[in-house]
Structures are given as C-alpha cells and as structure tokens.
Amino acid sequence: MNGILLIHKPSGMTSHDVVNRIRRILHTKKVGHCGTLDPDATGVLVLCIGKATKALQFLMSEEKEYITTLSLGTATDTYDASGTVIESREYDGVENVVEVLQSFVGNQKQIPPIYSAIKVKGKKLYEYARNHEEVKIEPRDIIIHEIELLQQDENEITLRVRCSKGTYIRSLCVDIAKKLGYPGHISKLIRSQSGHFRLEDCSTLEDIEAGHFHMLSIEDAFEHFDKYVIEDENIVIHGKMIKSDIDHQVVIVNKQGKVLAVYGPNGQGYLKSIRGLF
C-alpha cells in the first residue's frame, strides 16, 4: 500500500501515536508523518505510506496554517492549557490588538518552547524540562506570512496564522501575550492546512478503521509543484543531470505525468537529482 493519507488528528494523541495506530490498521511499518502536532492540538496530519515515505522531506517543507486561541492572564510551563500555571495577572483589557499582531508578520528569530521534541546534544528539550536540567535553546529562523484576528472575547483572542515550517504557535502566542502586557498560553490549536492539504479533506481515525477513506497518490501530493517533463526515464534511473537554467526544485515527470524524482539546481546550469520517488 503506497500513498498519502490525510488525518484529522484528535486531541490527546501524539503524532507518533497516530502513526502507530495507522501502522496497525493498514498492517504496514512504512508510515511517516509530515510535521509534528502537539498532543493537545487537532487538525491536519499528513502521513506518507509505503513508497510514498520517500516524499516526506518535500511535503514537510511547505507552509502551514493554524487557528489558535490565545488566553491572556495566565502562563503555563508548556505554553498550553495542559501545563502547570507559573504566572497569573488579572485581565483588565487590551488595546491595539491588530497592531500588535501585525508586528509579528515577517522573517524573525523564534525560541522554541522547552516542552518540545527538538533535540539538543542528543536529548529532546522536554526531557531536559522533565528532569529540571538547564539547557541553552537556540533561536530558529521562521516566517510569519499572515496573522488575522478572527475573534476577541474578553481575554480570549482567536487567530488565523499562516507560517513557515518549524514555527511554534505556542511560542508565537506567548510572545504576542507579552507584547500585549500579559502572561498567556494557548487554550486551543487547530492545524487547518499543511501545504495544500486542508482540514476538510482529512479522514478521522474512525473513518480509516471502518475503511472509509481515500489515499492520495504521489502525483496528487505533488500536483502543485513545478514540473519538468522528460522523455527518457533512464535519465532519472541513472541519476543523470539535466541541462537547465531553472533555479529551484522541480518534480521530474514522464510524458504520462508519473512522478519520478525531485531535482534541484547545482549552480552550474544543470539540475541534479535530490530524491528518486518511483
């Protein structure tokens, strides 16, 4: 079984929990996910099955969209509602919310939360946190493409965020809260889109267990990528370079539209193979 499976991840499960559940349902070990979701979060989790796992690195590189609710007045150690409260302040209103939100749009450095799966010196950050060990967390380059205020109800602010991969919405919301003058945490997080895959196209785990799901092909998954058509598949089979002035990654397809590989520029007027996908 090979293809792309779009899952509506439920709250209370890690991304790896979902992977293990799908392995059992589909009776296959070759399952990988395209971008971790926090256990409390719900929404789009893209899984690659079988030979489609070769496409993981390219599907992970796309931007994401989230709907999140920021709760002002209380901070937790995990930056979300499941954590231990570490700071509180009575809420007495905010001003210039839209202006503050827009100040976060663009390229920036972000410090990930200590409760995350990023590895430092071979250990995950949350392992340092649980063992009460100090660790230096390096900031990461991220891009916030858009922030839209969807709703404001007293101390609860609901936002739509479109961002680059690697962005931690928990950290973003805590930083927004600080700029608004409050401790804060996220009370709800939904990934509404991952690349071109949207929440309304996802299946629940219950759907999949009942056999009510549609698996996308690799051709479906790369539908929105730039294509380069070749007549001779041996070029890809033997990993040969292709003379071209194209300056970005492209998907190599045959005349029938079958995806064969991903190629990228070598800086010397040629495209070289990055990953075979056939």
Side-chain angles (χ1 to χ4, degrees):
M1 186 174 287
N2 306 298
I4 314 297
L5 201 53
L6 307 182
I7 303 291
H8 186 163
K9 188 189 92 64
S11 178
M13 296 183 73
T14 68
S15 299
H16 194 63
D17 289 339
V18 175
V19 167
N20 283 337
R21 181 94 162 262
I22 294 301
R23 283 172 175 162
R24 291 195 297 270
I25 295 170
L26 301 183
H27 306 291
T28 178
K29 292 183 178 180
K30 294 195 71 175
V31 180
H33 65 78
C34 301
T36 302
L37 265 179
D38 293 337
D40 286 355
T42 66
V44 182
L45 185 65
V46 181
L47 301 187
C48 294
I49 316 295
K51 292 181 179 179
T53 53
K54 295 179 180 180
L56 274 172
Q57 69 187 93
F58 307 106
L59 300 181
M60 288 179 69
S61 65
E62 295 195 296
E63 63 189 40
K64 312 287 194 295
E65 181 186 88
Y66 297 89
I67 307 298
T68 186
T69 299
L70 166 61
S71 182
L72 299 174
T74 306
T76 70
D77 56 355
T78 58
Y79 297 2
D80 60 22
S82 66
T84 301
V85 174
I86 57 174
E87 183 182 359
S88 295
R89 179 193 156 186
E90 185 177 352
Y91 177 76
D92 57 8
V94 288
E95 296 180 354
N96 305 320
V97 173
V98 173
E99 182 181 334
V100 169
L101 294 179
Q102 292 311 304
S103 71
F104 284 88
V105 174
N107 295 49
Q108 58 199 268
K109 298 280 188 180
Q110 183 187 71
I111 298 177
I114 183 67
Y115 280 91
S116 63
I118 295 172
K119 284 190 175 182
V120 175
K121 296 181 180 179
K123 286 174 61 176
K124 294 177 180 178
L125 285 179
Y126 66 74
E127 294 176 324
Y128 286 98
R130 290 171 180 172
N131 294 330
H132 306 289
E133 298 177 72
E134 290 190 6
V135 60
K136 184 178 180 181
I137 305 176
E138 297 292 341
R140 294 161 34 126
D141 292 312
I142 64 162
I143 306 171
I144 304 298
H145 298 290
E146 294 178 11
I147 300 183
E148 179 186 3
L149 176 62
L150 298 180
Q151 184 178 344
Q152 185 175 348
D153 184 13
E154 294 296 329
N155 69 318
E156 299 269 302
I157 299 174
T158 301
L159 316 169
R160 181 185 65 85
V161 180
R162 189 168 63 86
C163 57
S164 64
K165 86 162 194 174
T167 300
Y168 277 88
I169 302 300
R170 284 181 288 146
S171 289
L172 174 66
C173 284
V174 167
D175 291 341
I176 290 171
K178 287 178 182 176
K179 200 161 186 177
L180 289 169
Y182 289 92
H185 69 276
I186 63 169
S187 58
K188 188 175 183 179
L189 180 62
I190 304 169
R191 183 150 69 195
S192 51
Q193 188 167 348
S194 179
H196 292 278
F197 305 121
R198 299 193 61 84
L199 186 57
E200 54 263 33
D201 299 320
C202 294
S203 301
T204 66
L205 290 172
E206 291 73 22
D207 290 333
I208 295 166
E209 284 184 324
H212 301 148
F213 66 93
H214 170 64
M215 190 172 292
L216 303 176
S217 66
I218 288 188
E219 284 69 32
D220 293 328
F222 283 100
E223 180 182 359
H224 300 281
F225 286 65
D226 287 343
K227 309 292 194 308
Y228 188 103
V229 181
I230 61 171
E231 294 190 5
D232 185 2
E233 293 186 18
N234 285 315
I235 292 174
V236 172
I237 292 171
H238 297 296
K240 295 181 179 178
M241 293 195 292
I242 301 171
K243 186 169 179 59
S244 173
D245 294 327
I246 294 174
D247 62 357
H248 57 278
Q249 289 184 4
V250 293
V251 176
I252 307 298
V253 299
N254 64 16
K255 290 185 293 184
Q256 290 74 41
K258 180 183 177 182
V259 170
L260 302 174
V262 174
Y263 271 52
N266 72 344
Q268 300 176 347
Y270 285 87
L271 293 172
K272 65 178 181 179
S273 176
I274 298 175
R275 188 70 159 100
L277 298 172
F278 55 92

